Amino acid sequence: RSKKFQALLKAPRFQAPTAPWVRKHGRPRCAAPGAGAHGRSGAVRCARAERCGVAGRSGAVRCARAERSGVAGRSGAVRCARAERSGVAGRSLPRPAVRTPAAAAARPGHGQPGGRPAGHLARAAAPRSLLRAVAGRERLPHGGGGARLRGQAFLNIPGLSSPCRPVQYLAQTLAKPGISFTGHTSVKSIPFFITFIGLEFAVSWVQKRKLPGRINDGISSLSLGILSRLPDVLFRSVDLISYIYIWDKYRLFELPWDSPWTWYLTLLGVDFAYYCFHRISHEVNILWAAHQVHHSSEDYNLFTALRQSILQKYTSWIFNLPMALFIPPSVFAVHLQFNLLYQFWIHTEVITSLGPLEWILNTPSHHRVHHGRNPYCIDKNYGGTLIIWDRIFGTFEAEDAKVVYGLTHPVNSFNPIMLQLRPLAHIWNTFWATPGFCSKLSVIFKGPGWGPGKPRLGLPEEIPVVLSQGTILLRIGFIILSLTSFGLLLENRSKAGILEITRCLVFIGVYKLGYLRSQFSSLGYAYEVLFSLCAAFWGIQIMKQITSSKDKHH
């Protein structure tokens, strides 16, 4: 026997409390015909396992019919040929998710006072018990003692060719079409998504008297979200299956799943892995071709959170594998879903600032910068739940000027297929048009802005300056106001001073809001001081005119 198996045998056992009737008269014999006597070890020999399932002192059950019940050894491991009819489950062992019609029928008790129906073990939902099995240990069910079982115990599961560990059972279960932990969570979240989208529309209408986005853009985002889920019908949970495989085969040590420090460490680990993947998705052209789908919307609302790539999930799982060397899969799965769901609500403009939380969490303000195509927004704020990674690695940028959303080179289409595939077509054409083998590889693995003779991420000055329609209209209005004011000043009109004060105050306000920006950021403070002095000067001139006019009347 291996050292690991010897350790399981020496594990502390759980002894269920003994009923007073049993203490006085001894354990009952099986009521089924053909039942044998109880031995010294407390083993029970039963002709029908569905009527008798009492675990003896050693936790072993010996049954005369192998097709209905298996044999549990001293370690408490259970081998079952038909899980829907029998199978004593330990704390670490998964239970069948669906009962067959035969198993669903009413059955008598175990054959001892207070025994539970034999079908009791088949009622629990599989995903929950499977994750608990992967996480660690659980005791035998009510009705008997036995050794504490571990998640490494082998099982005969219906539909599997050979005995397997629970983690392998979880992986094979998730690999089947129509079964997915992540997909199940996403489906469960749909009502909450719809509720929050409706709430955002209501708040935006109350605050600004307009909807938070265009209808056609919202429908396009919803279509891309549906399209991104379609591969899950055939391929399920690549991230969890790969994680469980590494955990089962190559883990270095196991952190206790019930320790708070394990959960805190997993929170940081999952978010840091997402930061690394997110940053590389912006800095590697072939990965950006998939991720750009999420950035293609020129609106910013909760619909934008649903705009996802159909290909991105097949590369993100690689960054989570180092955690599989020591973090239990059940803890990882919870935090993976939390990180994904957290990022839904930050895609909104109705929330401006969260005060001190802006220093730690990724907030709507920080994520608006990430979705902007302004030059100061490019390749900034990659964090998922936390913003501390951007502050540490120098990719943080606070929201300043009015953010313009979308791509610097937009696709200009609402067609979900076109939005998914056109960037890949662009890379394909650029790859064949670029001379040299090394340059061709650079087209794929360097930044989207790379070109021959340029840095890896391209030149910052080549990023186009993008102006929104509101910014353009404000600038045109300010130019007209300035020309009118100059004309009145040249004509020495009495109302020219009031108009000039208005022009200076409008400039200061528009500049503060970010609709006007100078090519030289160092001159920003000088502009504010100059226009403030100009407004004060014309204010003094107007006061002098009013005073002189009163003196003339007297």
Side-chain angles (χ1 to χ4, degrees):
R1 296 177 179 176
S2 65
K3 293 182 180 179
K4 193 171 186 180
F5 189 68
Q6 291 288 347
L8 292 177
L9 297 181
K10 296 178 182 178
R13 301 188 177 193
F14 169 78
Q15 184 68 37
T18 307
W21 188 90
V22 176
R23 287 197 299 267
K24 184 177 180 180
H25 303 285
R27 294 191 177 273
R29 296 173 179 268
C30 178
H38 299 276
R40 183 176 181 180
S41 65
V44 181
R45 297 176 176 86
C46 305
R48 300 185 63 184
E50 73 277 5
R51 291 190 178 181
C52 183
V54 183
R57 183 178 180 184
S58 66
V61 181
R62 297 178 176 86
C63 302
R65 299 185 63 182
E67 73 277 3
R68 290 192 177 180
S69 68
V71 179
R74 184 180 178 185
S75 66
V78 183
R79 297 176 176 86
C80 304
R82 299 186 64 183
E84 74 278 3
R85 291 193 176 180
S86 70
V88 182
R91 184 174 181 182
S92 67
L93 297 180
R95 291 170 282 188
V98 181
R99 297 174 63 192
T100 61
R107 294 179 179 178
H110 284 292
Q112 63 175 353
R116 296 187 180 182
H120 167 73
L121 297 178
R123 291 195 183 101
R128 183 176 179 182
S129 59
L130 286 175
L131 293 177
R132 293 172 67 184
V134 176
R137 46 210 176 267
E138 187 167 310
R139 293 169 289 199
L140 285 173
H142 176 75
R148 176 178 292 181
L149 304 183
R150 298 288 299 176
Q152 312 330 343
F154 284 88
L155 291 171
N156 282 326
I157 303 296
L160 299 184
S161 58
S162 60
C164 67
R165 299 175 187 269
V167 289
Q168 296 171 340
Y169 178 41
L170 176 59
Q172 295 185 33
T173 303
L174 292 175
K176 296 179 181 179
I179 301 176
S180 173
F181 179 75
T182 55
H184 179 72
T185 306
S186 300
V187 171
K188 288 286 188 180
S189 305
I190 289 177
F192 298 97
F193 291 165
I194 296 174
T195 302
F196 279 109
I197 288 173
L199 183 62
E200 182 192 31
F201 271 68
V203 173
S204 179
W205 182 260
V206 171
Q207 288 181 345
K208 306 175 182 179
R209 293 296 175 184
K210 68 175 185 178
L211 297 178
R214 297 164 294 170
I215 300 299
N216 50 11
D217 190 87
I219 294 175
S220 177
S221 297
L222 186 61
S223 301
L224 287 164
I226 295 173
L227 185 64
S228 68
R229 304 304 303 176
L230 291 182
D232 292 343
V233 177
L234 300 176
F235 306 100
R236 286 294 192 176
S237 300
V238 177
D239 44 9
L240 282 181
I241 292 175
S242 59
Y243 191 96
I244 290 171
Y245 178 81
I246 298 298
W247 163 266
D248 193 33
K249 300 292 185 182
Y250 304 106
R251 70 175 179 268
L252 302 177
F253 56 91
E254 177 181 349
L255 294 178
W257 73 273
D258 53 352
S259 171
W261 294 106
T262 302
W263 290 81
Y264 299 149
L265 178 63
T266 309
L267 172 65
L268 296 176
V270 169
D271 199 64
F272 180 68
Y274 178 81
Y275 171 86
C276 296
F277 162 70
H278 197 183
R279 182 169 181 175
I280 291 178
S281 295
H282 280 252
E283 296 182 356
V284 176
N285 201 14
I286 190 66
L287 298 181
W288 169 249
H291 184 64
Q292 60 83 34
V293 176
H294 182 63
H295 287 261
S296 59
S297 175
E298 295 183 359
D299 296 335
Y300 190 76
N301 49 43
L302 294 179
F303 272 118
T304 308
L306 306 178
R307 181 180 287 243
Q308 298 295 330
S309 169
I310 197 174
L311 302 173
Q312 183 172 299
K313 66 182 71 177
Y314 300 111
T315 55
S316 60
W317 58 273
I318 301 174
F319 296 85
N320 297 317
L321 295 184
M323 289 182 288
L325 299 176
F326 51 91
I327 294 178
S330 58
V331 182
F332 165 75
V334 171
H335 280 284
L336 183 68
Q337 293 306 300
F338 171 76
N339 189 276
L340 176 65
L341 295 176
Y342 178 89
Q343 296 180 53
F344 172 75
W345 75 276
I346 60 178
H347 292 81
T348 182
E349 289 186 297
V350 300
I351 300 176
T352 54
S353 176
L354 296 181
L357 295 178
E358 302 277 341
W359 287 91
I360 302 173
L361 298 178
N362 187 20
T363 63
S365 176
H366 298 329
H367 206 59
R368 284 194 291 269
V369 173
H370 178 71
H371 273 258
R373 51 177 170 167
N374 311 56
Y376 84 96
C377 298
I378 301 299
D379 296 338
K380 300 295 182 181
N381 300 358
Y382 297 111
T385 303
L386 305 174
I387 202 65
I388 57 175
W389 313 116
D390 292 283
R391 295 184 182 275
I392 292 173
F393 297 107
T395 55
F396 173 76
E397 188 70 38
E399 188 176 16
D400 187 8
K402 177 67 176 178
V403 178
V404 181
Y405 305 107
L407 303 171
T408 55
H409 299 88
V411 180
N412 295 326
S413 175
F414 294 117
N415 186 340
I417 304 298
M418 189 70 68
L419 289 168
Q420 295 276 2
L421 300 180
R422 181 175 286 182
L424 293 173
H426 174 72
I427 292 178
W428 176 265
N429 296 331
T430 307
F431 177 84
W432 291 110
T434 303
F437 179 74
C438 293
S439 297
K440 289 182 183 295
L441 293 180
S442 298
V443 170
I444 298 176
F445 297 109
K446 289 188 177 180
W450 178 85
K454 297 180 182 178
R456 182 176 66 89
L457 299 179
L459 299 172
E461 54 269 21
E462 290 184 351
I463 299 174
V465 178
V466 182
L467 301 177
S468 65
Q469 294 180 354
T471 302
I472 295 173
L473 292 176
L474 280 174
R475 292 189 175 189
I476 292 174
F478 182 76
I479 292 173
I480 294 175
L481 180 62
S482 300
L483 294 176
T484 304
S485 177
F486 295 157
L488 294 178
L489 288 173
L490 293 175
E491 294 177 0
N492 200 19
R493 298 287 185 92
S494 58
K495 304 296 183 181
I498 298 176
L499 189 62
E500 184 63 15
I501 292 175
T502 304
R503 187 182 76 89
C504 294
L505 295 178
V506 167
F507 176 85
I508 295 173
V510 170
Y511 192 85
K512 282 287 188 182
L513 293 175
Y515 291 101
L516 289 176
R517 281 294 168 192
S518 171
Q519 295 288 342
F520 307 98
S521 57
S522 58
L523 297 178
Y525 182 74
Y527 285 148
E528 294 181 18
V529 172
L530 178 63
F531 278 86
S532 298
L533 293 176
C534 184
F537 171 79
W538 287 106
I540 294 173
Q541 294 299 320
I542 291 174
M543 294 298 296
K544 287 183 178 180
Q545 290 180 4
I546 294 174
T547 304
S548 61
S549 63
K550 287 183 178 180
D551 292 340
K552 288 181 181 179
H553 286 295
H554 290 293

